[in-house]
Amino acid sequence: MAETTLPITLFPNLLDIADLVSVNVVPNLDEITQNARIIKDKVVNIGLVPATISVTIDGVAAPDVITTTIPFQAHTDFFGACPQDMLQETPLEVEGIFTQPGVEVVNAAGTGLVDGILVKIVLRTQITVTRQVIKDQQGNVCEINPNRCEITDTPSFTFPTPNGG
């Protein structure tokens, strides 16, 4: 789920939330920055979805348009997965886009609340976690690395800066 709340002050012609006619969100799936890692029993997926957001305003001829990135994060339970396993993921697809005007958000100065527009993009992907195994002489499957799930400290990752960021 990619989600953000944008203050109406980002849209120069939207002075009052009551003047909002519609919100149109167009995600740019070709430019998504996405990073996934395996931790014990989970796949953690974070990233940014670039999107163009247009708001149509009552009495204004052309919509106000901004381009921004909307952060997403998810973790998928994957019993038996370990950091040493291999991860494959299909490209993200949009399942739905939802907006809710009138949500309060902290203003740019951080001193008060202003009306905002909540934007949610529901994303879908398929995740496959695999590991290398071998068969012994009796045909039993054996782990190549039996210590692959042993963790000496808490995993942490610093992902690369997104494109253009």
Side-chain angles (χ1 to χ4, degrees):
M1 172 102 53
E3 181 177 333
T4 193
T5 303
L6 304 169
I8 65 170
T9 54
L10 290 177
F11 304 95
N13 294 306
L14 185 57
L15 304 177
D16 187 330
I17 199 73
D19 294 334
L20 181 65
V21 174
S22 66
V23 179
N24 185 38
V25 179
V26 179
N28 181 349
L29 299 179
D30 294 331
E31 295 296 322
I32 287 178
T33 301
Q34 174 184 357
N35 297 285
R37 293 289 190 271
I38 302 170
I39 60 174
K40 185 164 176 45
D41 296 328
K42 292 186 186 336
V43 173
V44 178
N45 196 335
I46 67 172
L48 297 167
V49 179
T52 301
I53 302 170
S54 306
V55 297
T56 303
I57 304 159
D58 190 30
V60 178
D64 281 356
V65 178
I66 65 165
T67 300
T68 188
T69 54
I70 302 173
F72 68 88
Q73 68 175 28
H75 73 274
T76 304
D77 291 331
F78 233 99
F79 182 74
C82 294
Q84 300 296 323
D85 294 341
M86 294 169 282
L87 175 66
Q88 294 176 334
E89 189 169 8
T90 61
L92 292 169
E93 298 175 33
V94 174
E95 284 194 310
I97 298 173
F98 304 95
T99 60
Q100 182 178 5
V103 176
E104 289 186 333
V105 63
V106 175
N107 67 11
T111 58
L113 298 175
V114 296
D115 283 328
I117 302 168
L118 176 66
V119 176
K120 289 187 180 204
I121 302 172
V122 180
L123 302 164
R124 174 184 55 207
T125 187
Q126 274 191 321
I127 298 170
T128 303
V129 176
T130 57
R131 71 178 58 103
Q132 291 183 332
V133 294
I134 57 174
K135 285 189 177 183
D136 64 16
Q137 291 176 342
Q138 290 76 34
N140 299 315
V141 176
C142 303
E143 298 284 345
I144 289 179
N145 178 4
N147 301 318
R148 73 186 186 350
C149 281
E150 290 182 14
I151 301 171
T152 56
D153 55 10
T154 304
S156 67
F157 305 99
T158 301
F159 294 114
T161 304
N163 296 339

